[in-house]
């Protein structure tokens, strides 16, 4: 688990194809690795990765094909800056919100507007995530815990203050950029809870009445 408070901006030192997936070497900048050991989790642009090597100035992790297909990590290149956060501990101050490091979908920056010293971004989320995004609710963008200022369909707006711009990779965002999105965990759990007893029913391989009617098997 993470908090969405970015601890360092790192960079991609190497991306090495390995048996169909990729091993990534991340230089971690000012991130304190003194308490990190093999097998620990570090979020890279909001993606929870496991440290498999610790060369001293960073860490190496294996990125599965599933992760490459479901996140914006395919867009990373050697030299790309990335947001970094170590997994939280029982004594970590929860400054953002609870973040799992499991990306729900990839969004796209559709607009950037300067507003005094802040920057306003408009981001388009995948349609199936729109129901989880609420005005003044929390969302994670490339690992950064943020507050939604406005919602319009599948698009939402963020106002980013100078401190966040300087401590994350958001200062470089321009329209067209793809970003990792993780919706609020509480919204996910609430949706499941509202299913009640139906949550125990399998949705796989079930032939429903609506399916039969749509395909002409039920006659009125």
């Amino acid at each position: 688990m993470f908090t969405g408070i970015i601890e360092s901006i790192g960079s991609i030192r190497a991306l090495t194809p390995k048996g169909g997936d990729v091993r990534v070497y991340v230089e971690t900048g000012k991130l304190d690795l003194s308490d990190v050991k093999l097998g620990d989790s570090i979020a890279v642009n909001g993606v929870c990765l496991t440290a498999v090597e610790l060369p001293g100035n960073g860490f190496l992790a294996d990125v599965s094909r599933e992760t490459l297909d479901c996140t914006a990590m395919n867009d990373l290149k050697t030299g790309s800056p990335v947001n970094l956060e170590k997994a939280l501990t029982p004594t970590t101050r929860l400054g953002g919100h609870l973040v799992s490091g499991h990306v729900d979908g990839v969004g796209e920056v559709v607009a950037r507007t300067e507003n005094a010293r802040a920057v306003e971004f408009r981001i388009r989320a995948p349609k199936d995530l729109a129901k989880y995004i609420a005005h003044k609710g929390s969302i994670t963008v490339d690992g950064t815990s943020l507050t939604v200022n406005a919602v319009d369909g599948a698009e939402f707006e963020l106002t980013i203050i100078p401190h966040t711009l300087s401590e994350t990779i958001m200062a470089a965002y321009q329209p067209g950029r793809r970003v990792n999105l993780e919706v609020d965990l509480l919204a996910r759990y609430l949706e499941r809870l509202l299913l009640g007893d139906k949550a125990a029913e399998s949705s796989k391989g079930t032939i429903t009445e609506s399916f039969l009617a749509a395909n002409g098997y039920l006659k009125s």
Side-chain angles (χ1 to χ4, degrees), residues 69-142:
D69 290 342
C70 297
T71 71
M73 293 204 74
N74 258 329
D75 299 344
L76 296 179
K77 303 174 182 178
T78 301
S80 293
V82 288
N83 289 328
L84 300 175
E85 182 190 356
K86 295 185 293 187
L88 62 83
T89 69
T91 58
T92 300
R93 181 173 294 175
L94 189 60
H97 70 284
L98 287 176
V99 175
S100 70
H102 301 150
V103 172
D104 291 306
V106 178
E108 180 184 346
V109 177
V110 294
R112 173 185 176 132
T113 306
E114 308 294 323
N115 185 354
R117 294 187 304 124
V119 177
E120 295 178 350
F121 291 103
R122 189 174 182 90
I123 297 176
R124 181 182 299 118
K127 289 183 179 180
D128 59 344
L129 295 185
K131 60 185 175 181
Y132 302 110
I133 302 172
H135 179 229
K136 296 304 178 183
S138 297
I139 194 164
T140 307
V141 179
D142 278 343

